[in-house]
Amino acid sequence: MLLNLLAGVPVMLFCLLMQAVFVTICLRHYVRFRHVQPAHASQWLNILLLSMVMLLMLLGNFVQIAIWATLFMLLDEFDEFATALYHSAVNFATLGYGDIVMSSRWRLLGPLEAANGILMFGVSTSVMTAAVMDVIKQNVDGLQQRNRP
């Protein structure tokens, strides 16, 4: 168990740090873009902006899945990266199919990755929700300004 923690916790911490970087970059660009665009931006511009936020958050999650898969390869759990990536994605998304299992020596890494994944999907969801709420606020403010006498 201790060996699993020694291998998994640093990867989890690295993934948490990396997702914080993705969130920071995403929000910085979102705010910068929002600052220069008109208050009554077109719907297509809002769709593009929200799509970019979603894609960046999803990219952050995909990169973390690949990092965990790399750890599994380094531990000689899988012969092919594609299998390690599939297993990692199942863990990260907390699907728990069980069609591919790790050896008993490293089995605890699955729940560690699942804990990492569920936390990161929550972070991604909160960033996307904040962006959607901001777009809604901008649209409501724009309507109120146009309706003032």
Side-chain angles (χ1 to χ4, degrees):
M1 182 169 123
L2 182 59
L3 194 57
N4 282 257
L5 293 174
L6 289 174
V9 170
V11 172
M12 182 184 272
L13 292 174
F14 178 71
C15 287
L16 295 173
L17 178 65
M18 195 198 60
Q19 189 73 355
V21 169
F22 268 90
V23 168
T24 301
I25 291 169
C26 184
L27 291 178
R28 178 174 290 150
H29 288 298
Y30 178 87
V31 168
R32 185 176 299 144
F33 184 80
R34 267 293 185 211
H35 183 68
V36 297
Q37 84 176 24
H40 56 281
S42 75
Q43 287 304 106
W44 291 111
L45 202 53
N46 286 331
I47 290 168
L48 178 65
L49 183 59
L50 292 175
S51 296
M52 292 310 296
V53 169
M54 289 181 220
L55 286 173
L56 279 172
M57 291 295 94
L58 194 56
L59 177 64
N61 290 326
F62 285 158
V63 169
Q64 290 177 75
I65 290 168
I67 290 169
W68 280 97
T70 301
L71 173 65
F72 299 156
M73 291 297 293
L74 291 173
L75 297 173
D76 289 327
E77 279 297 303
F78 300 102
D79 295 330
E80 300 175 343
F81 186 74
T83 305
L85 191 65
Y86 168 77
H87 181 74
S88 178
V90 168
N91 286 340
F92 198 85
T94 67
L95 292 173
Y97 286 155
D99 55 340
I100 299 174
V101 295
M102 294 176 59
S103 67
S104 59
R105 180 176 185 191
W106 297 111
R107 197 169 293 157
L108 185 59
L109 290 176
L112 281 175
E113 184 181 9
N116 183 184
I118 200 161
L119 179 62
M120 292 304 99
F121 281 126
V123 169
S124 298
T125 301
S126 68
V127 169
M128 289 183 280
T129 301
V132 168
M133 294 302 293
D134 185 63
V135 167
I136 290 170
K137 182 184 179 307
Q138 292 289 332
N139 286 324
V140 168
D141 290 348
L143 283 173
Q144 288 175 345
Q145 288 176 356
R146 280 183 253 145
N147 291 334
R148 287 189 185 143

